[in-house]
Amino acid sequence: MIKAQINKRLIGANGSFELDVELQIAKGEFVALYGPSGVGKTTLLRCLAGLEQADQANIKFNGNTWVDTRLRINLEPQLRRVGYMFQDYALFPNMTVRGNVEFALRKGSSTHRINELIELMNLGELQHQKPETLSGGQKQRVALARALASEPSLLLLDEPFSALDTEMRSRLHNEVLRLQRSLGITTIIVSHDVSEVYKLAKRVFVMEAGRIAQHGTPADVFSAGQTSGKFRFTGEILALEPMDVLYSLTVLVGNQIVRVVAMPEEALKLSVGDAVMLVSKAFNPMILKLE
Amino acid sequence: MNSLKGQIVAIDSNNHMSLVDVAVGQDVFTATLLETPATADYLQVGSEVTLLFKETEIALAKNLSGMISLRNRIPVVVKNVVRGDILSAVTLDYAGKRLVSVITSRAIDRLEIKPGDPLEALIKANEIALMAGHDDL
Amino acid sequence: MMTYDIQPLILTFKLATVTTAILLIIAIPFAWWLANTKIRFKPVVESLVSMPLVLPPSVLGFYLLLAFSPEHWFGSWLDKELGIRLAFSFAGLVIASVIFSFPFIVHPVQAAFQNLPKSLTDAAKVLGKSNVQIFFRVLLPNIKPALISGTVLAFAHTVGEFGVVMMIGGNLPNSTRVASIAIYDEVESLHYDVANFYAGVLVLSSFAILMVVYMVNRKARK
């Protein structure tokens, strides 16, 4: 279990602000840190990994004190047994794919684990290539394999899937989920993608300007207000046109364009570019199976 | 969107669904929801909720007789009609509250709807959404 | 009939080799330190390192000569306590060359260290690697081109150095009479053919070294 209380002054794009966070994560839990960029999510991960020092902090992992600024305790990152997947993957350019994964091996672990991970991550054919020859998705798989090769007791994923296309993303999501469950590693993912958070995390901490503004299950957190509608999508208004006594709104939801009608008094409060949530009762949508 | 403030007076639910009765003034509205008190905290008898339903979901009737499956029938008076080619918006007074119904202009003609007419407004239970609290939208 | 004494050439390459070897040992860690340090007087250190780039070699040679001379406290201390005389000796030449070629290796290596993503070091740290392991297995291998070009520049620069050597080495056969001095000396004595011999060897060998480096570098980049 992790118990962390971290306080650090940060310089953001709009002046300085304070990272002031307290969180508790159960062993084997998969949680997400969600929020826009520049609110301190990455700094929080780095403090947990020991790559950055907080001004004032207390971090305990499974009963061991990692950081206690009052007692001047600060365990080196080398001794924390953390698996960290960096935003830029941070693969070692001088080593092959296999070399990168092997480098992560702890003293005394068998190379058998390397073969397993290479197979699991589908890297067999690439294992003798250098990272610079790999695509973004392949690099991410290597980075994940390397993070796992060190047999971490805590896995930190910093926006690991942001550069991928939807299909690759979804495949890696399943992969991570499967691995995380079978290995039971406590995992924290930084993400600003609602669907990713929904899919992976049991619990989400929503961060705003250095603080945890909200936390709970993704379903709780992302259901804005409490409307009993079941069918909700966020989208962006592309066009508003009068249509008879009504208005027609063209809304971009994901990568689909949909049209909905609104009353004039609703439409007049909106303008092109506004973000809206479309809500419908669960009874309305008709379902057509796609072949 | 039409909204009416009310208070939950009864909840009838199975594992997945609930039939929620909400008192609005003298009338009781019924809404079917894919929520239960176990999944939604606000589903409690006595909770204040707001009923939401789209203008296009209100049907209007004059001198309705016979039996009908619709649960939500309320007396209204026509205040104003805005005619369009296909659709028309009818502004209604429901016990001092404003509702709008959008129906076809043909129906306006057939029912001869004009300001001052007393009508019955009908809303299917599964078209009503509930929102916790009385916040104005 | 002129005698072609190859001793100056041997001395030149010996000096360059020893100098480069010493530079590799001290300049690379120094470049790493300079790339990562946050000390306030870093610009002072950087300026000092770069001085040989802008100063006439004779200035540096002059001050080193003064410092090395037995009349100076430093020179006399060396002489009395350690029995070392640096002025007009091979050891003195090595020290002068190390100082003089220092920026040629520090600059490219420092720049290369600074250009490496910080996350590489971070990644190695969380994988449990010590600073020494990180330095030798992650950082150095990834700045190979800069290492090679820095080393070669330092080597070539030592081979070609004249002013400093002239000031503190003089022209002692087998000890400080390196090729560049010998060329000057032979020209002064109007022995153009001997001068031509030394010069020709320097030109060819320098070209060969540079060629090898660029070829190796090209391969390393692939």
Side-chain angles (χ1 to χ4, degrees):
Chain A
M1 179 169 89
I2 309 174
K3 264 178 100 161
Q5 178 270 311
I6 293 168
N7 197 295
K8 184 179 169 75
R9 191 122 213 111
L10 294 179
I11 311 294
N14 311 313
S16 76
F17 64 100
E18 200 153 340
L19 176 70
D20 184 11
V21 166
E22 220 181 316
L23 41 82
Q24 195 166 332
I25 298 163
K27 198 172 180 195
E29 204 180 0
F30 200 140
V31 303
L33 296 177
Y34 172 84
S37 47
V39 297
K41 302 186 304 273
T42 296
T43 306
L44 177 52
L45 275 204
R46 292 177 62 82
C47 285
L48 289 174
L51 297 172
E52 225 164 289
Q53 254 101 70
D55 299 334
Q56 194 275 309
N58 191 314
I59 303 175
K60 279 198 168 73
F61 185 79
N62 290 347
N64 302 318
T65 301
W66 277 2
V67 178
D68 190 333
T69 42
R70 241 164 291 166
L71 299 175
R72 293 173 183 272
I73 296 175
N74 182 27
L75 193 69
E76 300 164 48
Q78 281 92 335
L79 300 175
R80 295 192 191 188
R81 288 197 90 106
V82 162
Y84 200 120
M85 203 168 151
F86 293 82
Q87 245 178 87
D88 67 351
Y89 325 130
L91 298 178
F92 306 121
N94 58 312
M95 303 178 198
T96 59
V97 165
R98 193 184 174 85
N100 264 280
V101 182
E102 248 163 14
F103 189 66
L105 222 54
R106 301 271 167 180
K107 259 185 219 140
S109 334
S110 82
T111 49
H112 187 64
R113 192 178 167 82
I114 301 297
N115 295 329
E116 244 176 45
L117 280 166
I118 289 205
E119 192 149 324
L120 199 68
M121 289 280 123
N122 220 342
L123 293 169
E125 308 226 318
L126 305 172
Q127 59 176 312
H128 300 302
Q129 288 186 29
K130 290 277 177 73
E132 62 185 356
T133 63
L134 305 180
S135 71
Q138 291 167 337
K139 282 183 191 164
Q140 282 172 324
R141 268 146 57 202
V142 179
L144 185 58
R146 188 180 68 184
L148 291 170
S150 64
E151 297 175 63
S153 39
L154 173 64
L155 187 59
L156 304 174
L157 309 172
D158 192 356
E159 290 189 30
F161 310 116
S162 51
L164 297 184
D165 60 64
T166 334
E167 198 191 316
M168 192 50 152
R169 218 176 151 89
S170 153
R171 262 188 51 197
L172 276 173
H173 283 160
N174 293 334
E175 209 58 59
V176 167
L177 214 50
R178 200 166 54 79
L179 283 169
Q180 197 271 340
R181 278 183 195 150
S182 67
L183 303 173
I185 308 173
T186 310
T187 305
I188 304 176
I189 186 172
V190 164
S191 176
H192 52 230
D193 177 0
V194 176
S195 67
E196 184 166 275
V197 172
Y198 250 103
K199 187 158 177 189
L200 297 178
K202 283 264 155 51
R203 214 144 55 91
V204 54
F205 296 89
V206 178
M207 286 184 66
E208 275 167 27
R211 277 157 211 281
I212 292 174
Q214 237 183 315
H215 90 277
T217 67
D220 284 347
V221 167
F222 295 123
S223 303
Q226 288 214 326
T227 317
S228 64
K230 276 283 178 182
F231 218 70
R232 66 176 87 234
F233 300 101
T234 51
E236 182 189 333
I237 297 186
L238 298 181
L240 284 156
E241 326 159 67
M243 185 184 75
D244 232 342
V245 292
L246 301 170
Y247 264 75
S248 150
L249 308 190
T250 310
V251 185
L252 180 69
V253 177
N255 51 8
Q256 305 248 25
I257 291 175
V258 298
R259 292 225 295 169
V260 292
V261 298
M263 295 304 288
E265 54 268 38
E266 289 172 315
L268 292 174
K269 284 186 212 149
L270 299 168
S271 50
V272 170
D274 281 356
V276 288
M277 184 177 279
L278 304 182
V279 185
S280 171
K281 294 274 296 190
F283 298 96
N284 295 37
M286 284 168 281
I287 292 126
L288 302 173
K289 186 176 179 305
L290 295 175
E291 293 306 326
Chain B
M1 194 155 28
N2 291 307
S3 66
L4 292 172
K5 291 166 185 175
Q7 193 171 31
I8 297 181
V9 290
I11 300 172
D12 199 0
S13 51
N14 65 11
N15 285 340
H16 306 287
M17 292 182 56
S18 306
L19 208 57
V20 183
D21 290 335
V22 179
V24 178
Q26 303 294 310
D27 300 300
V28 173
F29 285 72
T30 305
T32 34
L33 305 179
L34 276 198
E35 304 259 23
T36 62
T39 65
D41 300 336
Y42 72 94
L43 282 187
Q44 306 273 343
V45 170
S47 285
E48 302 198 315
V49 291
T50 305
L51 301 171
L52 301 172
F53 45 97
K54 196 126 175 140
E55 291 74 5
T56 42
E57 306 298 349
I58 306 186
L60 296 177
K62 230 177 198 176
N63 308 323
L64 187 65
S65 63
M67 293 203 287
I68 189 163
S69 69
L70 282 179
R71 299 286 303 263
N72 302 305
R73 303 171 59 163
I74 49 171
V76 294
V77 176
V78 177
K79 281 186 12 193
N80 184 24
V81 179
V82 180
R83 253 191 99 89
D85 294 334
I86 307 288
L87 296 174
S88 293
V90 185
T91 309
L92 306 163
D93 178 78
Y94 162 57
K97 293 172 273 281
R98 179 176 177 274
L99 296 178
V100 178
S101 164
V102 172
I103 55 175
T104 59
S105 301
R106 267 189 218 172
I108 301 275
D109 294 341
R110 196 151 40 80
L111 272 68
E112 294 174 353
I113 291 174
K114 54 189 182 306
D117 283 0
L119 295 174
E120 207 167 356
L122 305 120
I123 310 135
K124 282 178 74 176
N126 60 20
E127 300 298 351
I128 298 180
L130 294 188
M131 190 177 70
H134 277 175
D135 298 333
D136 285 315
L137 277 182
Chain C
M1 182 66 203
M2 289 315 309
T3 48
Y4 294 110
D5 179 10
I6 61 162
Q7 203 52 51
L9 288 170
I10 294 177
L11 195 62
T12 293
F13 286 104
K14 189 174 142 196
L15 175 64
T17 308
V18 173
T19 302
T20 310
I22 293 174
L23 278 176
L24 281 177
I25 296 169
I26 61 169
I28 293 172
F30 185 81
W32 177 81
W33 174 79
L34 209 51
N36 290 293
T37 187
K38 290 189 179 91
I39 53 160
R40 220 179 313 155
F41 53 92
K42 184 173 168 178
V44 178
V45 177
E46 286 181 305
S47 305
L48 280 176
V49 168
S50 301
M51 285 293 267
L53 290 177
V54 292
L55 278 182
S58 47
V59 173
L60 186 74
F62 172 65
Y63 283 120
L64 283 174
L65 183 63
L66 285 189
F68 291 168
S69 90
E71 274 87 64
H72 191 267
W73 68 265
F74 179 69
S76 78
W77 175 80
L78 279 179
D79 195 7
K80 278 193 199 129
E81 302 296 322
L82 306 170
I84 302 171
R85 287 204 169 193
L86 291 177
F88 305 111
S89 72
F90 183 71
L93 274 195
V94 169
I95 292 177
S97 302
V98 164
I99 295 172
F100 203 63
S101 295
F102 202 57
F104 289 85
I105 192 159
V106 168
H107 279 177
V109 173
Q110 181 194 348
F113 276 132
Q114 277 166 349
N115 284 336
L116 281 182
K118 179 88 173 52
S119 61
L120 291 184
T121 307
D122 288 343
K125 270 189 196 167
V126 295
L127 293 175
K129 305 301 170 186
S130 68
N131 287 336
V132 174
Q133 281 172 310
I134 294 172
F135 187 74
F136 284 104
R137 294 198 55 196
V138 175
L139 300 180
L140 281 190
N142 286 313
I143 60 159
K144 214 156 77 188
L147 273 185
I148 294 172
S149 48
T151 307
V152 168
L153 273 177
F155 186 90
H157 188 247
T158 309
V159 167
E161 188 33 48
F162 177 78
V164 172
V165 183
M166 190 70 185
M167 292 299 283
I168 70 158
N171 188 5
L172 306 173
N174 290 341
S175 160
T176 62
R177 183 180 151 92
V178 296
S180 57
I181 300 290
I183 294 170
Y184 178 75
D185 197 33
E186 298 295 345
V187 171
E188 288 269 272
S189 323
L190 300 177
H191 297 145
Y192 281 20
D193 52 347
V194 182
N196 190 20
F197 165 68
Y198 292 141
V201 171
L202 284 193
V203 168
L204 286 179
S205 55
S206 302
F207 182 75
I209 294 170
L210 288 176
M211 267 279 281
V212 169
V213 169
Y214 283 117
M215 272 158 57
V216 169
N217 247 354
R218 207 173 118 187
K219 229 175 161 183
R221 271 178 225 273
K222 268 188 188 161

